[in-house]
PDB file of all heavy atoms in Angstrom:
ATOM      1  N   TYR A 126      -7.570   6.068   3.992  1.00  0.00           N
ATOM      2  CA  TYR A 126      -6.733   6.636   2.931  1.00  0.00           C
ATOM      3  C   TYR A 126      -7.501   6.759   1.612  1.00  0.00           C
ATOM      4  O   TYR A 126      -7.467   7.797   0.935  1.00  0.00           O
ATOM      5  CB  TYR A 126      -5.472   5.774   2.768  1.00  0.00           C
ATOM      6  CG  TYR A 126      -4.977   5.669   1.363  1.00  0.00           C
ATOM      7  CD1 TYR A 126      -4.382   6.753   0.724  1.00  0.00           C
ATOM      8  CD2 TYR A 126      -5.124   4.479   0.643  1.00  0.00           C
ATOM      9  CE1 TYR A 126      -3.954   6.667  -0.585  1.00  0.00           C
ATOM     10  CE2 TYR A 126      -4.698   4.379  -0.655  1.00  0.00           C
ATOM     11  CZ  TYR A 126      -4.118   5.468  -1.275  1.00  0.00           C
ATOM     12  OH  TYR A 126      -3.707   5.370  -2.569  1.00  0.00           O
ATOM     13  N   LYS A 127      -8.214   5.707   1.231  1.00  0.00           N
ATOM     14  CA  LYS A 127      -8.906   5.738  -0.058  1.00  0.00           C
ATOM     15  C   LYS A 127     -10.083   6.707  -0.039  1.00  0.00           C
ATOM     16  O   LYS A 127     -10.356   7.382  -1.043  1.00  0.00           O
ATOM     17  CB  LYS A 127      -9.367   4.328  -0.443  1.00  0.00           C
ATOM     18  CG  LYS A 127      -8.210   3.410  -0.829  1.00  0.00           C
ATOM     19  CD  LYS A 127      -8.678   2.049  -1.342  1.00  0.00           C
ATOM     20  CE  LYS A 127      -7.472   1.208  -1.770  1.00  0.00           C
ATOM     21  NZ  LYS A 127      -7.863  -0.129  -2.294  1.00  0.00           N
ATOM     22  N   ALA A 128     -10.778   6.788   1.073  1.00  0.00           N
ATOM     23  CA  ALA A 128     -11.920   7.702   1.158  1.00  0.00           C
ATOM     24  C   ALA A 128     -11.469   9.157   1.084  1.00  0.00           C
ATOM     25  O   ALA A 128     -12.055   9.961   0.349  1.00  0.00           O
ATOM     26  CB  ALA A 128     -12.708   7.448   2.439  1.00  0.00           C
ATOM     27  N   LEU A 129     -10.444   9.519   1.844  1.00  0.00           N
ATOM     28  CA  LEU A 129      -9.942  10.894   1.777  1.00  0.00           C
ATOM     29  C   LEU A 129      -9.462  11.228   0.361  1.00  0.00           C
ATOM     30  O   LEU A 129      -9.730  12.316  -0.152  1.00  0.00           O
ATOM     31  CB  LEU A 129      -8.807  11.096   2.779  1.00  0.00           C
ATOM     32  CG  LEU A 129      -9.188  11.720   4.128  1.00  0.00           C
ATOM     33  CD1 LEU A 129     -10.110  10.784   4.913  1.00  0.00           C
ATOM     34  CD2 LEU A 129      -7.939  12.028   4.951  1.00  0.00           C
ATOM     35  N   SER A 130      -8.758  10.301  -0.257  1.00  0.00           N
ATOM     36  CA  SER A 130      -8.222  10.543  -1.602  1.00  0.00           C
ATOM     37  C   SER A 130      -9.346  10.683  -2.622  1.00  0.00           C
ATOM     38  O   SER A 130      -9.310  11.571  -3.489  1.00  0.00           O
ATOM     39  CB  SER A 130      -7.289   9.397  -2.004  1.00  0.00           C
ATOM     40  OG  SER A 130      -6.198   9.290  -1.105  1.00  0.00           O
ATOM     41  N   ALA A 131     -10.341   9.807  -2.535  1.00  0.00           N
ATOM     42  CA  ALA A 131     -11.445   9.856  -3.496  1.00  0.00           C
ATOM     43  C   ALA A 131     -12.245  11.147  -3.362  1.00  0.00           C
ATOM     44  O   ALA A 131     -12.585  11.788  -4.369  1.00  0.00           O
ATOM     45  CB  ALA A 131     -12.351   8.640  -3.302  1.00  0.00           C
ATOM     46  N   VAL A 132     -12.571  11.535  -2.136  1.00  0.00           N
ATOM     47  CA  VAL A 132     -13.364  12.744  -1.935  1.00  0.00           C
ATOM     48  C   VAL A 132     -12.571  13.990  -2.325  1.00  0.00           C
ATOM     49  O   VAL A 132     -13.119  14.919  -2.934  1.00  0.00           O
ATOM     50  CB  VAL A 132     -13.860  12.817  -0.480  1.00  0.00           C
ATOM     51  CG1 VAL A 132     -14.539  14.156  -0.204  1.00  0.00           C
ATOM     52  CG2 VAL A 132     -14.829  11.672  -0.193  1.00  0.00           C
ATOM     53  N   LYS A 133     -11.286  14.019  -2.004  1.00  0.00           N
ATOM     54  CA  LYS A 133     -10.444  15.144  -2.423  1.00  0.00           C
ATOM     55  C   LYS A 133     -10.480  15.313  -3.946  1.00  0.00           C
ATOM     56  O   LYS A 133     -10.411  16.436  -4.458  1.00  0.00           O
ATOM     57  CB  LYS A 133      -9.007  14.910  -1.955  1.00  0.00           C
ATOM     58  CG  LYS A 133      -7.977  15.895  -2.495  1.00  0.00           C
ATOM     59  CD  LYS A 133      -8.093  17.273  -1.879  1.00  0.00           C
ATOM     60  CE  LYS A 133      -6.977  18.191  -2.396  1.00  0.00           C
ATOM     61  NZ  LYS A 133      -6.968  19.502  -1.721  1.00  0.00           N
ATOM     62  N   ALA A 134     -10.621  14.210  -4.662  1.00  0.00           N
ATOM     63  CA  ALA A 134     -10.683  14.253  -6.120  1.00  0.00           C
ATOM     64  C   ALA A 134     -12.103  14.454  -6.643  1.00  0.00           C
ATOM     65  O   ALA A 134     -12.322  14.400  -7.849  1.00  0.00           O
ATOM     66  CB  ALA A 134     -10.095  12.963  -6.689  1.00  0.00           C
ATOM     67  N   GLY A 135     -13.066  14.672  -5.726  1.00  0.00           N
ATOM     68  CA  GLY A 135     -14.427  14.968  -6.142  1.00  0.00           C
ATOM     69  C   GLY A 135     -15.280  13.762  -6.461  1.00  0.00           C
ATOM     70  O   GLY A 135     -16.344  13.889  -7.082  1.00  0.00           O
ATOM     71  N   ASN A 136     -14.863  12.576  -6.031  1.00  0.00           N
ATOM     72  CA  ASN A 136     -15.557  11.341  -6.364  1.00  0.00           C
ATOM     73  C   ASN A 136     -16.413  10.832  -5.216  1.00  0.00           C
ATOM     74  O   ASN A 136     -16.209  11.192  -4.052  1.00  0.00           O
ATOM     75  CB  ASN A 136     -14.536  10.253  -6.719  1.00  0.00           C
ATOM     76  CG  ASN A 136     -13.651  10.637  -7.878  1.00  0.00           C
ATOM     77  OD1 ASN A 136     -14.127  10.937  -8.961  1.00  0.00           O
ATOM     78  ND2 ASN A 136     -12.339  10.636  -7.651  1.00  0.00           N
ATOM     79  N   ALA A 137     -17.317   9.934  -5.542  1.00  0.00           N
ATOM     80  CA  ALA A 137     -17.978   9.083  -4.555  1.00  0.00           C
ATOM     81  C   ALA A 137     -17.178   7.800  -4.440  1.00  0.00           C
ATOM     82  O   ALA A 137     -16.424   7.439  -5.348  1.00  0.00           O
ATOM     83  CB  ALA A 137     -19.408   8.775  -4.984  1.00  0.00           C
ATOM     84  N   ILE A 138     -17.327   7.071  -3.331  1.00  0.00           N
ATOM     85  CA  ILE A 138     -16.558   5.849  -3.132  1.00  0.00           C
ATOM     86  C   ILE A 138     -17.421   4.800  -2.439  1.00  0.00           C
ATOM     87  O   ILE A 138     -18.178   5.118  -1.516  1.00  0.00           O
ATOM     88  CB  ILE A 138     -15.266   6.123  -2.318  1.00  0.00           C
ATOM     89  CG1 ILE A 138     -14.440   4.833  -2.165  1.00  0.00           C
ATOM     90  CG2 ILE A 138     -15.563   6.761  -0.979  1.00  0.00           C
ATOM     91  CD1 ILE A 138     -13.049   5.083  -1.588  1.00  0.00           C
ATOM     92  N   VAL A 139     -17.321   3.564  -2.936  1.00  0.00           N
ATOM     93  CA  VAL A 139     -17.972   2.421  -2.305  1.00  0.00           C
ATOM     94  C   VAL A 139     -16.874   1.422  -1.959  1.00  0.00           C
ATOM     95  O   VAL A 139     -16.143   0.966  -2.834  1.00  0.00           O
ATOM     96  CB  VAL A 139     -19.009   1.757  -3.226  1.00  0.00           C
ATOM     97  CG1 VAL A 139     -19.649   0.562  -2.511  1.00  0.00           C
ATOM     98  CG2 VAL A 139     -20.066   2.756  -3.661  1.00  0.00           C
ATOM     99  N   CYS A 140     -16.752   1.096  -0.677  1.00  0.00           N
ATOM    100  CA  CYS A 140     -15.710   0.187  -0.221  1.00  0.00           C
ATOM    101  C   CYS A 140     -16.237  -1.245  -0.180  1.00  0.00           C
ATOM    102  O   CYS A 140     -17.343  -1.498   0.317  1.00  0.00           O
ATOM    103  CB  CYS A 140     -15.219   0.590   1.169  1.00  0.00           C
ATOM    104  SG  CYS A 140     -14.454   2.223   1.210  1.00  0.00           S
ATOM    105  N   ALA A 141     -15.429  -2.158  -0.689  1.00  0.00           N
ATOM    106  CA  ALA A 141     -15.732  -3.584  -0.610  1.00  0.00           C
ATOM    107  C   ALA A 141     -14.667  -4.220   0.270  1.00  0.00           C
ATOM    108  O   ALA A 141     -13.579  -4.556  -0.205  1.00  0.00           O
ATOM    109  CB  ALA A 141     -15.732  -4.215  -2.001  1.00  0.00           C
ATOM    110  N   PRO A 142     -14.928  -4.349   1.556  1.00  0.00           N
ATOM    111  CA  PRO A 142     -13.926  -4.917   2.450  1.00  0.00           C
ATOM    112  C   PRO A 142     -13.791  -6.415   2.251  1.00  0.00           C
ATOM    113  O   PRO A 142     -14.617  -7.054   1.580  1.00  0.00           O
ATOM    114  CB  PRO A 142     -14.474  -4.593   3.841  1.00  0.00           C
ATOM    115  CG  PRO A 142     -15.946  -4.489   3.643  1.00  0.00           C
ATOM    116  CD  PRO A 142     -16.152  -3.953   2.259  1.00  0.00           C
ATOM    117  N   HIS A 143     -12.746  -6.969   2.823  1.00  0.00           N
ATOM    118  CA  HIS A 143     -12.618  -8.422   2.874  1.00  0.00           C
ATOM    119  C   HIS A 143     -13.777  -8.971   3.707  1.00  0.00           C
ATOM    120  O   HIS A 143     -14.224  -8.314   4.664  1.00  0.00           O
ATOM    121  CB  HIS A 143     -11.273  -8.784   3.515  1.00  0.00           C
ATOM    122  CG  HIS A 143     -10.930 -10.229   3.427  1.00  0.00           C
ATOM    123  ND1 HIS A 143     -11.452 -11.165   4.297  1.00  0.00           N
ATOM    124  CD2 HIS A 143     -10.104 -10.911   2.583  1.00  0.00           C
ATOM    125  CE1 HIS A 143     -10.979 -12.360   3.995  1.00  0.00           C
ATOM    126  NE2 HIS A 143     -10.162 -12.238   2.959  1.00  0.00           N
ATOM    127  N   PRO A 144     -14.289 -10.161   3.383  1.00  0.00           N
ATOM    128  CA  PRO A 144     -15.414 -10.696   4.161  1.00  0.00           C
ATOM    129  C   PRO A 144     -15.153 -10.788   5.661  1.00  0.00           C
ATOM    130  O   PRO A 144     -16.090 -10.723   6.461  1.00  0.00           O
ATOM    131  CB  PRO A 144     -15.620 -12.085   3.549  1.00  0.00           C
ATOM    132  CG  PRO A 144     -15.159 -11.940   2.135  1.00  0.00           C
ATOM    133  CD  PRO A 144     -13.994 -11.000   2.205  1.00  0.00           C
ATOM    134  N   ARG A 145     -13.868 -10.900   6.062  1.00  0.00           N
ATOM    135  CA  ARG A 145     -13.562 -10.953   7.488  1.00  0.00           C
ATOM    136  C   ARG A 145     -13.247  -9.581   8.067  1.00  0.00           C
ATOM    137  O   ARG A 145     -12.746  -9.481   9.186  1.00  0.00           O
ATOM    138  CB  ARG A 145     -12.399 -11.918   7.743  1.00  0.00           C
ATOM    139  CG  ARG A 145     -12.797 -13.385   7.536  1.00  0.00           C
ATOM    140  CD  ARG A 145     -11.708 -14.349   7.968  1.00  0.00           C
ATOM    141  NE  ARG A 145     -10.542 -14.288   7.098  1.00  0.00           N
ATOM    142  CZ  ARG A 145      -9.367 -13.774   7.436  1.00  0.00           C
ATOM    143  NH1 ARG A 145      -9.196 -13.254   8.646  1.00  0.00           N
ATOM    144  NH2 ARG A 145      -8.366 -13.772   6.597  1.00  0.00           N
ATOM    145  N   GLY A 146     -13.553  -8.521   7.308  1.00  0.00           N
ATOM    146  CA  GLY A 146     -13.334  -7.167   7.812  1.00  0.00           C
ATOM    147  C   GLY A 146     -14.515  -6.252   7.576  1.00  0.00           C
ATOM    148  O   GLY A 146     -14.356  -5.028   7.534  1.00  0.00           O
ATOM    149  N   VAL A 147     -15.708  -6.838   7.431  1.00  0.00           N
ATOM    150  CA  VAL A 147     -16.883  -6.044   7.085  1.00  0.00           C
ATOM    151  C   VAL A 147     -17.307  -5.131   8.238  1.00  0.00           C
ATOM    152  O   VAL A 147     -17.588  -3.941   8.032  1.00  0.00           O
ATOM    153  CB  VAL A 147     -18.058  -6.961   6.677  1.00  0.00           C
ATOM    154  CG1 VAL A 147     -19.324  -6.136   6.461  1.00  0.00           C
ATOM    155  CG2 VAL A 147     -17.708  -7.719   5.405  1.00  0.00           C
ATOM    156  N   LYS A 148     -17.340  -5.651   9.451  1.00  0.00           N
ATOM    157  CA  LYS A 148     -17.841  -4.850  10.573  1.00  0.00           C
ATOM    158  C   LYS A 148     -16.946  -3.654  10.858  1.00  0.00           C
ATOM    159  O   LYS A 148     -17.434  -2.530  11.031  1.00  0.00           O
ATOM    160  CB  LYS A 148     -17.981  -5.730  11.815  1.00  0.00           C
ATOM    161  CG  LYS A 148     -19.070  -6.785  11.707  1.00  0.00           C
ATOM    162  CD  LYS A 148     -19.153  -7.626  12.977  1.00  0.00           C
ATOM    163  CE  LYS A 148     -20.230  -8.687  12.858  1.00  0.00           C
ATOM    164  NZ  LYS A 148     -20.292  -9.562  14.065  1.00  0.00           N
ATOM    165  N   CYS A 149     -15.641  -3.874  10.912  1.00  0.00           N
ATOM    166  CA  CYS A 149     -14.749  -2.733  11.174  1.00  0.00           C
ATOM    167  C   CYS A 149     -14.716  -1.790   9.980  1.00  0.00           C
ATOM    168  O   CYS A 149     -14.560  -0.566  10.151  1.00  0.00           O
ATOM    169  CB  CYS A 149     -13.347  -3.208  11.555  1.00  0.00           C
ATOM    170  SG  CYS A 149     -12.467  -4.168  10.298  1.00  0.00           S
ATOM    171  N   GLY A 150     -14.903  -2.336   8.767  1.00  0.00           N
ATOM    172  CA  GLY A 150     -14.987  -1.473   7.590  1.00  0.00           C
ATOM    173  C   GLY A 150     -16.215  -0.587   7.634  1.00  0.00           C
ATOM    174  O   GLY A 150     -16.144   0.616   7.358  1.00  0.00           O
ATOM    175  N   GLN A 151     -17.348  -1.166   7.985  1.00  0.00           N
ATOM    176  CA  GLN A 151     -18.577  -0.373   8.095  1.00  0.00           C
ATOM    177  C   GLN A 151     -18.455   0.698   9.174  1.00  0.00           C
ATOM    178  O   GLN A 151     -18.917   1.828   8.987  1.00  0.00           O
ATOM    179  CB  GLN A 151     -19.755  -1.290   8.400  1.00  0.00           C
ATOM    180  CG  GLN A 151     -20.223  -2.125   7.233  1.00  0.00           C
ATOM    181  CD  GLN A 151     -21.443  -2.952   7.589  1.00  0.00           C
ATOM    182  OE1 GLN A 151     -21.470  -3.639   8.600  1.00  0.00           O
ATOM    183  NE2 GLN A 151     -22.468  -2.885   6.756  1.00  0.00           N
ATOM    184  N   ALA A 152     -17.829   0.341  10.285  1.00  0.00           N
ATOM    185  CA  ALA A 152     -17.664   1.316  11.368  1.00  0.00           C
ATOM    186  C   ALA A 152     -16.795   2.486  10.923  1.00  0.00           C
ATOM    187  O   ALA A 152     -17.073   3.649  11.247  1.00  0.00           O
ATOM    188  CB  ALA A 152     -17.054   0.637  12.594  1.00  0.00           C
ATOM    189  N   THR A 153     -15.749   2.195  10.177  1.00  0.00           N
ATOM    190  CA  THR A 153     -14.856   3.249   9.687  1.00  0.00           C
ATOM    191  C   THR A 153     -15.578   4.155   8.706  1.00  0.00           C
ATOM    192  O   THR A 153     -15.486   5.390   8.784  1.00  0.00           O
ATOM    193  CB  THR A 153     -13.621   2.618   9.015  1.00  0.00           C
ATOM    194  OG1 THR A 153     -12.982   1.733   9.933  1.00  0.00           O
ATOM    195  CG2 THR A 153     -12.635   3.689   8.578  1.00  0.00           C
TER     196      THR A 153
END
Side-chain angles (χ1 to χ4, degrees):
Y126 145 71
K127 289 186 177 181
L129 263 65
S130 300
V132 173
K133 171 72 176 186
N136 301 303
I138 182 170
V139 180
C140 297
H143 189 279
R145 289 188 291 109
V147 174
K148 292 180 181 178
C149 62
Q151 286 183 310
T153 304

